[in-house]
């Protein structure tokens, strides 16, 4: 009887091990690429932790949808090429949904609305008009819609303005503070964070661009990630957790 009981116990044990193995196999790890230099959406805190609205949303969705994520810090203009090449699974870095980007990647449902802001120094004597003309130099991060707006709406139409591109927006803002450029064009929420940190600059005006941010994956979504992201966002909003994250990072 004892021998039989031991055999039954062993079978049950092995069954649990096998089931545990299958359970783990059902939880893939997706690599999330983000340019972690852009508060309040993503940045590195004083303890070296990756924090921000986008990253917390990614973490919460992963919990809800039953998968794991690994967040990696990648230059903004390298994220989409990396997604296309299969190096990363998800792009989460305040990406505006555009027709040009949709040619090579697929986007989630929009999760944030934004316009472009023009930042200048308080002592510059400039305004939103004079900062974008008269041979002034405007800074923007490489590969962003802010940089594209300056090119398409000013430079290509003959307006005398120069565009200086940076690896990150904090570098552009630092150059502005130090007087090396005349203005910075950046998405409004991040611009508010910039001026809150640097008291010598302010937002001179808003350019209404009606942009919407989305998370992105490889074209065709071969790993079936987008439905999980969209469903996860819906669950976050229904639970009230989404509003908590918005209040935490934007105070709204």
């Amino acid at each position: 009887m004892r021998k039989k009981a031991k055999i039954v116990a062993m079978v049950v044990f092995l069954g649990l091990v096998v089931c545990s193995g299958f359970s783990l196999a059902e939880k893939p790890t997706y690599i999330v690429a983000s340019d972690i230099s852009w508060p309040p959406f993503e940045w590195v805190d004083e303890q070296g932790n990756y924090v921000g609205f986008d990253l917390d949303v990614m973490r919460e969705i992963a919990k809800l949808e039953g998968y794991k994520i690994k967040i990696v810090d990648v230059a903004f203009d390298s994220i989409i090429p990396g997604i296309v090449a299969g190096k990363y699974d998800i792009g989460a870095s305040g990406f505006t949904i555009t027709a040009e980007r949709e040619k090579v990647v697929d986007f989630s449902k929009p999760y944030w609305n934004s316009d472009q802001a023009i930042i200048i120094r308080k002592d510059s004597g400039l305004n939103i008009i004079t900062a974008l003309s008269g041979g002034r130099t405007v800074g923007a991060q490489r590969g962003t819609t802010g940089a594209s707006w300056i090119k398409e709406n000013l430079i290509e139409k003959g307006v005398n303005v120069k565009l200086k591109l940076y690896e990150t927006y904090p570098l552009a803002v630092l150059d502005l503070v130090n007087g090396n450029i005349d203005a910075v064009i950046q998405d409004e929420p991040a611009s508010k964070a910039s001026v809150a940190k640097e008291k010598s600059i302010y937002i001179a005006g808003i350019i209404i661009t009606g942009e919407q941010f989305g998370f992105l994956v490889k074209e065709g979504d071969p790993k079936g990630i987008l439905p999980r992201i969209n469903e996860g966002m819906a669950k976050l909003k229904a639970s009230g957790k989404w509003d908590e994250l918005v209040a935490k990072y934007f105070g709204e």
Side-chain angles (χ1 to χ4, degrees):
M1 182 65 72
R2 290 182 180 178
K3 186 176 181 180
K4 183 176 180 181
K6 288 181 180 179
I7 293 173
V8 171
M10 183 60 71
V11 170
V12 172
F13 173 75
L14 291 173
L16 289 173
V17 171
V18 171
C19 288
S20 297
F22 283 136
S23 177
L24 291 174
E26 291 171 357
K27 292 185 178 181
T29 297
Y30 298 131
I31 299 176
V32 177
S34 182
D35 176 18
I36 309 178
S37 64
W38 201 51
F41 291 97
E42 44 266 333
W43 79 97
V44 182
D45 68 12
E46 294 179 355
Q47 289 73 45
N49 300 311
Y50 292 168
V51 297
F53 182 77
D54 284 347
L55 305 185
D56 274 6
V57 167
M58 285 287 98
R59 292 184 179 108
E60 293 296 330
I61 290 176
K63 292 177 187 176
L64 290 169
E65 294 300 308
Y67 59 82
K68 299 179 181 180
I69 61 171
K70 178 182 179 182
I71 298 171
V72 294
D73 191 1
V74 180
F76 185 79
D77 61 346
S78 296
I79 294 176
I80 288 181
I83 294 285
V84 172
K87 292 176 63 177
Y88 320 117
D89 300 304
I90 303 171
S93 202
F95 279 100
T96 296
I97 301 170
T98 68
E100 189 67 22
R101 288 170 176 167
E102 285 186 316
K103 292 178 181 178
V104 294
V105 295
D106 288 344
F107 280 95
S108 69
K109 292 181 179 179
Y111 69 89
W112 199 265
N113 297 324
S114 181
D115 296 303
Q116 293 293 324
I118 302 299
I119 312 173
I120 61 175
R121 292 186 307 280
K122 292 179 179 178
D123 63 359
S124 67
L126 299 173
N127 56 46
I128 191 172
I129 302 299
T130 56
L132 301 179
S133 59
R136 305 292 181 184
T137 300
V138 182
Q141 184 169 336
R142 186 178 291 108
T144 62
T145 52
S148 295
W149 192 92
I150 294 295
K151 291 177 184 177
E152 296 168 5
N153 293 278
L154 298 180
I155 295 174
E156 292 177 3
K157 294 184 178 180
V159 177
N160 185 18
V161 64
K162 301 173 185 177
L163 175 63
K164 185 173 181 179
L165 298 175
Y166 295 83
E167 189 67 21
T168 69
Y169 262 119
L171 290 176
V173 172
L174 181 61
D175 242 9
L176 173 64
V177 171
N178 290 335
N180 297 320
I181 57 176
D182 301 295
V184 168
I185 182 170
Q186 181 182 214
D187 286 278
E188 184 179 1
S191 294
K192 290 179 179 178
S194 296
V195 302
K197 182 179 179 181
E198 299 288 350
K199 304 303 180 182
S200 64
I201 58 177
Y202 77 106
I203 295 176
I206 303 297
I207 300 170
I208 306 299
T209 55
E211 298 175 49
Q212 292 184 308
F213 293 174
F215 302 114
L216 57 89
V217 301
K218 190 171 185 178
E219 187 177 23
D221 189 20
K223 296 186 179 180
I225 304 172
L226 279 187
R228 305 178 89 170
I229 292 177
N230 290 329
E231 290 168 13
M233 284 197 290
K235 291 174 183 176
L236 277 181
K237 293 176 181 179
S239 70
K241 182 66 177 180
W242 184 275
D243 292 336
E244 291 179 16
L245 292 177
V246 170
K248 176 180 178 180
Y249 288 109
F250 301 95
E252 299 174 3

